[in-house]
Amino acid sequence: MRRYALSDSQWEQIRDLLPGREGHVGGTAADNRLFVEAVLYRYRAGIPGRDLPTRVGDWKNVHRRLRRWCESGVIERIFRHLAADHDNAYMMIDSTIVRAHQHSAGARKKGGADQAIGRSRGGLTTKIHAIVDAAGKAVALSLTPGQRADITEAEPLLDEVDPKAFIADKAYDADPLIDKLEDREITPVIPSKRNRRNPRKTSFLLYKNRNIIERFFARLKHFRGIATRYDKLKSTFLAAVQLASAIIGIN
């Protein structure tokens, strides 16, 4: 198998979700697999698009097609379709910060568009927020500027899932989130902060499983183009995170 290529099992699970497939409206694309592998290769190796191997074709065409799939929601549909087959026993949330390369800055702001790049003493950063299930599969993702607090994305992402228990660290110990979980009859597994007057009981036996999301982020950052953000547009980088998450979630 070629370096960073899809395995046959990975390809079988996404091939029928792509435009240009046999029987789909319009022409049949003969190179869907090659294109997906080209995108994965670029992010796995962390190289500029123009440095893609010649076997994948013109790098400009790869970039145009990736942007077209981003705009039409193709990659998001792949991610959501695969994420729908998840384990509801318990889920967990966390975030990770990635450095944004200087080349990722400078995107034109159309209508005040947020490109999820923050500025701080550490430079340019983006924060990836994720919810994963008990098997380590990502089921909800979002991006914010790096300085944004973790808790800000908890409720929006929680609206996309329905676990029996929800695991998070102390950064998520906030009454509005706890109340929302309890209203939905989801057991919060979130240790209380030291300044909480009436600490809640927490199942630390279940809390130990939070290492699952840490392992997910470790695997995601094997993609060097995600561990360091080079994309100017939030939509392109989010699509890359979604595609990589979907692929690593396939057994």
Side-chain angles (χ1 to χ4, degrees):
M1 185 172 69
R2 294 187 299 270
R3 188 166 175 81
Y4 307 144
L6 291 168
S7 67
D8 289 340
S9 62
Q10 289 171 331
W11 172 241
E12 288 298 324
Q13 292 195 48
I14 68 171
R15 62 183 300 176
D16 292 335
L17 305 173
L18 308 180
R21 61 188 180 273
E22 188 174 352
H24 189 253
V25 176
T28 300
D31 62 343
N32 267 347
R33 182 169 183 169
L34 184 62
F35 166 69
V36 173
E37 289 179 349
V39 173
L40 292 172
Y41 187 103
R42 181 199 161 196
Y43 285 97
R44 184 67 176 81
I47 58 175
R50 66 181 67 244
D51 290 339
L52 281 169
T54 55
R55 66 177 175 80
V56 304
D58 187 345
W59 69 271
K60 291 182 180 180
N61 291 336
V62 173
H63 176 72
R64 290 194 198 99
R65 193 170 176 183
L66 175 60
R67 286 300 308 151
R68 190 163 65 244
W69 281 23
C70 290
E71 295 293 336
S72 60
V74 173
I75 294 177
E76 182 177 3
R77 286 196 296 273
I78 294 172
F79 171 74
R80 293 191 179 281
H81 176 84
L82 296 176
D85 181 21
H86 56 252
D87 187 337
N88 265 345
Y90 58 84
M91 294 182 186
M92 59 214 73
I93 188 172
D94 206 350
S95 69
T96 189
I97 288 180
V98 298
R99 287 293 300 272
H101 194 272
Q102 59 185 0
H103 292 168
S104 67
R108 293 182 180 179
K109 295 183 178 180
K110 297 181 179 179
D114 169 28
Q115 301 302 340
I117 296 179
R119 292 182 181 272
S120 64
R121 286 182 296 178
L124 301 175
T125 55
T126 292
K127 186 174 285 188
I128 302 172
H129 303 260
I131 292 179
V132 306
D133 68 3
K137 175 185 288 187
V139 294
L141 294 164
S142 68
L143 302 178
T144 64
Q147 76 276 10
R148 189 78 58 82
D150 292 355
I151 191 69
T152 59
E153 290 298 293
E155 291 194 40
L157 290 179
L158 186 60
D159 289 339
E160 301 182 30
V161 297
D162 190 26
K164 295 179 181 178
F166 194 66
I167 305 172
D169 62 25
K170 291 181 180 180
Y172 296 89
D173 179 27
D175 289 337
L177 178 60
I178 300 299
D179 291 343
K180 182 169 185 174
L181 290 169
E182 292 177 344
D183 288 344
R184 293 180 55 186
E185 298 182 348
I186 300 172
T187 303
V189 185
I190 305 173
S192 300
K193 292 180 179 178
R194 289 185 178 181
N195 61 357
R196 182 175 280 277
R197 291 184 178 180
N198 299 306
R200 301 183 321 281
K201 291 183 178 180
T202 302
S203 172
F204 284 97
L205 183 63
L206 190 54
Y207 183 74
K208 288 181 179 179
N209 293 313
R210 203 180 70 83
N211 70 87
I212 293 172
I213 194 168
E214 301 293 349
R215 296 204 304 269
F216 162 75
F217 282 133
R219 293 184 68 191
L220 184 62
K221 287 186 175 182
H222 286 175
F223 289 80
R224 300 179 67 183
I226 291 175
T228 300
R229 172 178 170 175
Y230 298 97
D231 296 305
K232 290 181 181 291
L233 299 180
K234 175 182 178 180
S235 58
T236 305
F237 188 60
L238 179 58
V241 174
Q242 288 172 334
L243 182 60
S245 298
I247 294 302
I248 65 179
I250 297 175
N251 296 323

